[in-house]
Amino acid sequence: MQTREEIFKELQSTLVELFELPEDKVALEANLYQDLEIDSIDAIDLIDHLNRKVGKKIKPEEFKAVRTVQDVVEAIYKLANSEHA
């Protein structure tokens, strides 16, 4: 079971690596679309990468509600710690 802090650290390094963002810009309250300038194609790449990391499938409709880095952490936490997904 991963903690939210561990998920955040992994997500932060993923965002830095995939989108060449400065690490200090990737904060929990950062908005993916406005602050980090992630577009819909980037979001698909991110979902694909996260699916492989978590080993479970994040449903696109669940990701539509995601706006901030914190939202992504919560979605991954719930998915990673659910019995079935």
Side-chain angles (χ1 to χ4, degrees):
M1 177 186 274
Q2 282 189 306
T3 66
R4 286 174 174 86
E5 181 64 25
E6 291 168 333
I7 292 168
F8 170 68
K9 289 295 180 194
E10 279 189 44
L11 178 60
Q12 185 181 44
S13 68
T14 297
L15 289 166
V16 168
E17 178 187 327
L18 287 180
F19 307 116
E20 299 177 3
L21 296 167
E23 189 173 315
D24 62 336
K25 196 172 180 183
V26 183
L28 286 171
E29 64 280 356
N31 184 291
L32 295 173
Y33 307 103
Q34 294 167 352
D35 301 328
L36 303 181
E37 300 176 4
I38 290 175
D39 63 23
S40 56
I41 300 297
D42 292 339
I44 291 168
D45 290 341
L46 179 59
I47 292 170
D48 183 54
H49 188 84
L50 295 173
N51 284 340
R52 284 183 272 136
K53 266 208 189 275
V54 177
K56 296 181 181 179
K57 200 132 170 70
I58 298 170
K59 296 180 180 91
E61 60 271 12
E62 289 175 9
F63 207 79
K64 283 182 184 175
V66 167
R67 294 289 175 257
T68 65
V69 171
Q70 177 71 51
D71 294 341
V72 178
V73 169
E74 286 303 316
I76 294 170
Y77 182 80
K78 287 178 190 170
L79 183 65
N81 296 302
S82 68
E83 291 298 314
H84 34 35

